[in-house]
Structure formats: C-alpha cells, structure tokens
C-alpha cells in the first residue's frame, strides 16, 4: 500500500514551526515494516533512514532513541545515556496509548507527550535523514540539526 499524502500531526507541527522538510510517500506492506524496506522503497542508503524506538527506563520512565535503520538499540547504552540503570523496549501494544503512534509509523515529532529524545550521532554526517511522518507509508526528509533542535534531542555516540 502507498499512503496518500496527508498532513500528519508531525507534518503540521513542522509547518507551524517553519522548519523545512519534505514528505515522501513509499509503498509498504504489513508483512515488512522494516527500515530496510523503507530505504529500498526510497532508494536511499539505510544509514540515512532512521527508526524511532520508545523505551522505558527503570528510573526516568519513557524515552525515545532515534537510530539508523541498520542498527539495533543497545539497551545498556540506552539506559546509561538516559540516566537509567536498565531499560526495555516498549511493548507494541503500549505504543499507541503512550505515543499516539503505531508500529511502523512512530515519529519522534508530535508524540502525545514530549519524552526525552536521543538521536544517534551518525545523523550529523548527513545533510538530511528520513524519519517516520507518523503513519505507515510516509517519511519526512529533514535536516538532522533541525530535527535535533525541534525535539530538544541529545546526540549520543555508540
């Protein structure tokens, strides 16, 4: 399926803030919501297609990690950078009530509440990266510095 170009909450927020970006639709299937699939559909390197992961820390509660599509989150590193002793990925059934987004369409922009956000340092290597626009089948192409500034994210190394 290809998502119709629509104004998602993330898109509206970026427009209101006057931040430059592009909305890029892509074909998706329920069977493959991976970043690898998104990168292939966009014809872009997987390193520039970032995925948004929501985690729960034992001390701070919910936080967000935005990492390259070919990475897996290191829970020990994620816990350390977020001020936790340990953390776990948010269960998929908790994603919608917590963030307002579904699996395969989770954006670091416009969640129900602002959560501490950590963006992998490799984002700074590119003039633009891709993040979810908040629905399956739609990406936002954005300058990483604009994203970092808008969501108040911290950069973290591996």
């Amino acid at each position: 399926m290809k998502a119709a170009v629509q104004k998602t909450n993330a898109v509206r927020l970026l427009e209101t803030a006057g931040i430059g970006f592009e909305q890029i639709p892509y074909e998706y299937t329920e069977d493959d919501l991976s970043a690898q699939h998104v990168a292939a559909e966009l014809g872009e390197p997987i390193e520039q297609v970032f995925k948004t992961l929501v985690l729960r820390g034992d001390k701070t509660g919910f936080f967000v990690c935005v990492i390259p599509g070919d990475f897996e989150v290191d829970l020990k590193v994620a816990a350390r950078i977020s001020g936790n002793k340990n953390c776990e990925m948010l269960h998929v059934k908790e994603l919608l009530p917590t963030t307002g987004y579904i699996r395969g369409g989770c954006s670091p922009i416009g969640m129900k509440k602002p959560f501490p956000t950590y963006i992998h340092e490799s984002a700074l290597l590119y003039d633009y990266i891709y993040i979810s626009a908040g629905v399956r089948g739609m990406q936002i192409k954005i300058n990483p510095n604009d994203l970092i500034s808008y969501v108040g994210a911290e950069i973290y190394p591996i």
Side-chain angles (χ1 to χ4, degrees), residues 32-57:
D32 189 358
L33 299 172
S34 71
Q36 288 82 358
H37 174 77
V38 174
E41 284 292 317
L42 297 175
E44 292 283 358
I46 185 71
E47 300 84 12
Q48 279 181 265
V49 176
F50 280 65
K51 53 190 177 184
T52 302
L53 306 174
V54 183
L55 299 96
R56 179 186 290 120

Side-chain angles (χ1 to χ4, degrees), residues 82-94:
S82 63
N84 289 286
K85 198 169 223 165
N86 55 57
C87 65
E88 63 184 9
M89 289 288 297
L90 193 64
H91 192 277
V92 71
K93 71 179 182 221
E94 296 177 279

